Amino acid sequence: MSGADGFPRPIFVGGVGRSGTHVMGRMLNEHPRYHWIPTEVRFHASKGGLPDLCRGETTLERFLSEMRGRWFIRGANARNGLQRVTDREGLEAALEEFEAGFEADREGASGRLIRRLLDPPAEAAGKPGWVEITGQTIEEAPFLLRLFPEAKFINMVRDGRAVVAGMLKKVDLTDDPAVALEKWTGMVEAADRAIDAVGADRVLTVPLDDLTAHDRDATLERVIAFTELDDPSPVRAYFEREISAERAHVGGWRERMAPADVRWVDRRYKRVIRQLHRDGVDWAPAPR
């Protein structure tokens, strides 16, 4: 569905970490229509965020505390979070408005809060729409679609073995490949349930390896058609200049793990994919 001015907005790009959400965000940012929000704002889709608050699974007090805390400033260098889209004064003004209207209209207040924080950066860039890249937006697509009936979603997906390799040894993640693969599997299953709920016409699944290496041109054209870009030439130019198999490290996951972990992850991933495909999750990447 397109907006009154002829295009879908906003665009939510989600997926398991290290599956290419930043790649997609940067690419769409090249178009004069869309501004990439250069951080995962998280409060609208992550655990403890707006969906949980509206469902009664967290409290308003806890949500407001998280907004002022870990969602405002986060990251190993304290450089990410909502501080990249607003200052403390702007955050407090938005939260005051949100708190005043929440009980009367929970989802209406939630949509207004998201727009209050994310519209100004797009307006400052001279763009009418924005692209946001929090990973769990696919899982929470049914909730977000109620807030933004004109929205579309891009589900970035990557070979789970590469995702596992990317998670290991990272701060706040895990050193256990079994835990990493379980997280990947759980997010894929949750995303598939959400896609079924909102309809395939609202969600485009983009395998990162296809975009960067195996089916580049056709995958790009699907993205252009799905986002209804009127003049895709800036996006195509960025794609040719910046996106490649080498930069995405396609097939390089084996070099990032110990040999014993490589063998275990490879065997287990093949079993996981067979089960996912039997369950109807046909977009889960089969091992190449």
Side-chain angles (χ1 to χ4, degrees):
M1 180 182 296
S2 296
D5 40 11
F7 63 90
R9 61 177 178 178
I11 300 291
F12 292 106
V13 181
V16 184
R18 288 158 182 79
S19 292
T21 55
H22 286 76
V23 170
M24 184 60 66
R26 290 190 183 99
M27 186 172 76
L28 292 177
N29 187 64
E30 293 297 303
H31 195 273
R33 178 185 295 164
Y34 291 115
H35 173 69
W36 168 49
I37 304 299
T39 186
E40 297 179 28
V41 298
R42 298 192 177 182
F43 73 93
H44 63 311
S46 295
K47 185 173 177 58
L50 287 173
D52 284 350
L53 180 61
C54 288
R55 292 189 290 254
E57 296 173 5
T58 190
T59 65
L60 181 58
E61 180 181 16
R62 178 64 181 271
F63 172 78
L64 295 174
S65 175
E66 300 282 47
M67 289 292 287
R68 296 180 173 110
R70 68 184 177 105
W71 287 330
F72 187 76
I73 297 177
R74 63 174 181 80
N77 297 315
R79 294 177 181 174
N80 281 312
L82 288 168
Q83 62 177 330
R84 298 192 66 178
V85 300
T86 190
D87 56 18
R88 285 284 184 186
E89 183 178 354
L91 176 69
E92 289 302 323
L95 292 181
E96 181 179 355
E97 178 184 294
F98 171 74
E99 189 172 6
F102 178 70
E103 286 304 332
D105 181 5
R106 292 188 170 202
E107 292 189 352
S110 297
R112 290 191 295 273
L113 177 62
I114 295 169
R115 286 211 175 276
R116 178 76 181 265
L117 293 173
L118 302 191
D119 282 359
E123 292 166 359
K127 298 186 175 186
W130 43 261
V131 177
E132 201 282 326
I133 60 168
T134 295
Q136 293 90 348
T137 54
I138 306 303
E139 298 173 53
E140 293 295 348
F143 171 80
L144 292 169
L145 195 58
R146 293 196 298 274
L147 272 51
F148 302 100
E150 299 163 2
K152 284 190 173 182
F153 301 81
I154 298 178
N155 175 35
M156 297 299 299
V157 62
R158 189 179 192 180
D159 186 316
R161 298 169 300 181
V163 175
V164 168
M167 287 183 182
L168 298 182
K169 313 296 183 183
K170 295 294 189 300
V171 175
D172 297 330
L173 292 179
T174 181
D175 294 339
D176 186 342
V179 171
L181 184 57
E182 183 178 5
K183 179 178 180 181
W184 180 89
T185 305
M187 286 193 72
V188 166
E189 291 172 334
D192 192 67
R193 290 192 295 270
I195 292 168
D196 284 345
V198 302
D201 61 320
R202 291 307 188 106
V203 185
L204 177 69
T205 294
V206 177
L208 180 63
D209 289 357
D210 284 354
L211 180 69
T212 58
H214 303 310
D215 195 19
R216 287 172 52 85
D217 293 339
T219 303
L220 176 63
E221 291 306 314
R222 285 195 291 273
V223 173
I224 289 170
F226 181 75
T227 52
E228 303 177 34
L229 300 183
D230 48 354
D231 177 11
S233 55
V235 171
R236 284 200 180 101
Y238 179 87
F239 175 77
E240 295 297 339
R241 184 176 70 248
E242 300 291 340
I243 295 180
S244 67
E246 291 75 22
R247 291 191 176 191
H249 306 291
V250 173
W253 62 272
R254 290 177 176 84
E255 301 168 6
R256 304 181 65 181
M257 292 188 287
D261 287 341
V262 168
R263 292 190 293 271
W264 184 89
V265 169
D266 191 39
R267 290 195 303 270
R268 181 61 62 90
Y269 183 68
K270 291 173 181 175
R271 289 164 53 190
V272 166
I273 288 296
R274 286 195 295 270
Q275 185 60 55
L276 287 172
H277 287 184
R278 283 195 295 268
D279 292 341
V281 190
D282 55 0
W283 52 267
R288 290 180 179 268

